[in-house]
Amino acid sequence: MTTLTRIDNEQNMARFYHIMILPDLFGGVQLIRQWGRIGEDGGQERRKNFDNADLAQAKHDELRDRKVRRGYAQ
């Protein structure tokens, strides 16, 4: 699991972003993204199915890089 955070006290911003790759029951893999405010219950989640782990890993890396460019840190 990759965990990214973005904290900016001037903007009252404290966010998290989790990215996970897990096998599913049908021989493929799922890319799971969870995000929200740090310290609050809930947040949001999105799941996407992939046929193989290489495709899921490529999307994982793309999402991670995009969040890092927007100011998130590991």
Side-chain angles (χ1 to χ4, degrees):
M1 175 167 60
T2 300
T3 300
L4 303 169
T5 58
R6 183 173 179 192
I7 299 172
D8 185 346
N9 293 327
E10 291 179 8
Q11 295 182 9
N12 192 28
M13 180 187 306
R15 299 179 183 167
F16 71 89
Y17 196 85
H18 300 301
I19 311 170
M20 297 173 276
I21 299 174
L22 299 174
D24 66 12
L25 297 175
F26 306 106
V29 294
Q30 280 193 339
L31 178 76
I32 303 168
R33 299 183 284 164
Q34 298 174 325
W35 65 92
R37 288 185 56 89
I38 294 172
E40 289 187 4
D41 290 337
Q44 296 184 38
E45 177 177 291
R46 180 166 290 167
R47 294 173 180 250
K48 182 167 174 127
N49 294 318
F50 290 90
D51 292 333
N52 62 55
D54 293 335
L55 294 172
Q57 187 64 49
K59 185 65 173 179
H60 171 282
D61 296 344
E62 175 188 329
L63 291 167
R64 182 197 61 221
D65 293 345
R66 182 184 313 160
K67 290 298 180 182
V68 169
R69 282 193 306 270
R70 291 183 178 175
Y72 284 76
Q74 289 189 5

